[in-house]
Amino acid sequence: MTDQIHKDVQTSTPGIDRRNLLKMTGAGVAALGALSIFDSTTAKAQDMSNGASNFYTSDRVTLQKVTFKSQYQMNVAGNLYLPNNLDRASKNPAIIVGHPMGAVKEQSANLYATKMAEQGFVAMSIDLPFWGESEGASRNLVSPEVYAEAFSAGVDFLGSQAFVDRANIGAIGVCGSGSFVISAAKIDPRIKAVATVSMYDMGAAFRDALNKSQTVEQRKQFIATAAEQRWAEADGADIQYIGGTTLELTAETDPIQREFYDFYRTPRGEFTPAGVARETTTKPTLSSAVKFMNFYPFNDIETISPRPMLFISGDQAHSKEFSQDAYNRAAEPKELVWIKGAGHVDLYDRVDLIPFDRLKGFFDQHLA
């Protein structure tokens, strides 16, 4: 990963201390390992065990592409999934699903929305602003507040549908979206129930890295590098990007990178949105990535109560500290479910491991 970051930054930006940037290795592996580039020409055999089915479709569900406005007057793109047997004359519970950070709705979110629709819910996957089919420029910009607003805008949209019970709308956030939906739910009580899967606290990941392995000095070095890049862009330089699953595996590739590579860099989960350059797909802009440093989604998480929260994580997931931290801070009612033997990315698409029965039970109970 650090070699790729070095390559990305070295190409054009004078004044950046590359050595300082390379020192943010912890945050690079923890937070940016979730981001990737897709290149079908180099895709290799993938691990399809445990029912891996990212691109799952169902003949029991009808898909409708939708767009709606956020309070920022930006178009948010979504896929609305309706059970074929939906009673449109009744008010039905609904669920919004957010994708992993740096991904798009076609990666994990569509799968979760389809599966929840199969179980009778109105379900909608969304592209976060600046990503996928949603509006926003510059592309790949980091803006946690705008990301969180997309979930509330989704509530606006779903609640305006005649067949949706606006008093019973919940949300599922996968990976980084887990932290964004918590941020939204803290100030939007219309989100009646929150579930997260393989959650990343994107703020903590950038500030501290996994297991708090990044020092404050390393954090400051990255902030300084991003500030230098902002000056460069103000003076007319090209936008620079960071992160990305490695383009190829080597003997030195770390286990976390290998885990992401198997999903994002192989046909198992790779997806390139129309009109997106391969070189920048899923990589956040360097100058905006520091906005995660100011993102504290778990502060005041207890105020979501008495609305329920469900945290799901693999017991082998490199990210499990974030679900544990959120659970510890949250107030009742809350649940923490460990999936035995599962890693972080396993719960993106391995339907034999993802506990859809627990998700159904949770939302059946709390979206009456």
Side-chain angles (χ1 to χ4, degrees), residues 1 67 188 281 325 336 338:
M1 160 134 347
T67 59
D188 192 343
T281 302
D325 185 23
L336 176 58
W338 296 113

Side-chain angles (χ1 to χ4, degrees), residues 107-344:
Q107 292 158 318
S108 192
N110 281 355
L111 168 62
Y112 274 78
T114 301
K115 287 291 189 179
M116 298 313 293
E118 281 187 334
Q119 300 183 82
F121 297 95
V122 173
M124 181 175 67
S125 61
I126 62 171
D127 277 326
L128 296 177
F130 309 105
W131 301 90
E133 296 178 304
S134 285
E135 201 169 35
S138 301
R139 301 308 293 169
N140 302 18
L141 189 78
V142 170
S143 184
E145 180 179 347
V146 176
Y147 297 165
E149 160 60 20
F151 286 94
S152 289
V155 174
D156 296 340
F157 173 79
L158 289 174
S160 70
Q161 307 305 306
F163 49 81
V164 169
D165 181 358
R166 62 170 52 185
N168 283 296
I169 299 174
I172 299 171
V174 181
C175 187
S177 278
S179 58
F180 308 142
V181 73
I182 288 172
S183 180
K186 287 191 299 184
I187 58 172
D188 192 343
R190 302 175 305 163
I191 301 175
K192 296 298 185 181
V194 175
T196 70
V197 182
S198 290
M199 179 172 56
Y200 252 86
D201 174 346
M202 295 305 301
F206 268 75
R207 284 188 300 272
D208 306 318
L210 291 177
N211 301 311
K212 295 181 169 52
S213 59
Q214 179 171 258
T215 67
V216 172
E217 182 57 34
Q218 288 172 324
R219 181 196 309 175
K220 288 180 176 180
Q221 290 168 347
F222 175 66
I223 292 171
T225 300
E228 284 296 315
Q229 174 61 21
R230 186 154 182 159
W231 274 128
E233 291 173 13
D235 291 337
D238 291 338
I239 291 173
Q240 293 296 304
Y241 303 86
I242 58 173
T245 298
T246 186
L247 294 171
E248 60 182 21
L249 299 179
T250 70
E252 288 72 41
T253 304
D254 66 83
I256 294 176
Q257 274 282 16
R258 290 177 181 274
E259 182 182 6
F260 284 116
Y261 180 98
D262 189 70
F263 181 80
Y264 286 116
R265 299 288 297 138
T266 76
R268 174 184 162 196
E270 64 178 350
F271 185 88
T272 303
V276 175
R278 177 186 66 84
E279 293 77 14
T280 62
T281 302
T282 75
K283 305 196 311 186
T285 66
L286 170 58
S287 59
S288 72
V290 291
K291 290 181 171 62
F292 277 136
M293 303 289 188
N294 277 344
F295 182 47
Y296 292 84
F298 298 168
N299 284 6
D300 301 321
I301 191 175
E302 71 278 4
T303 64
I304 293 175
S305 175
R307 289 172 289 149
M309 304 192 74
L310 170 64
F311 307 100
I312 298 172
S313 174
D315 68 355
Q316 303 301 308
H318 67 261
S319 59
K320 65 182 182 180
E321 64 183 281
F322 301 124
S323 293
Q324 183 70 65
D325 185 23
Y327 175 79
N328 291 346
R329 298 192 194 197
E332 296 288 352
K334 60 182 179 179
E335 298 178 66
L336 176 58
V337 176
W338 296 113
I339 306 303
K340 186 175 181 180
H344 176 85

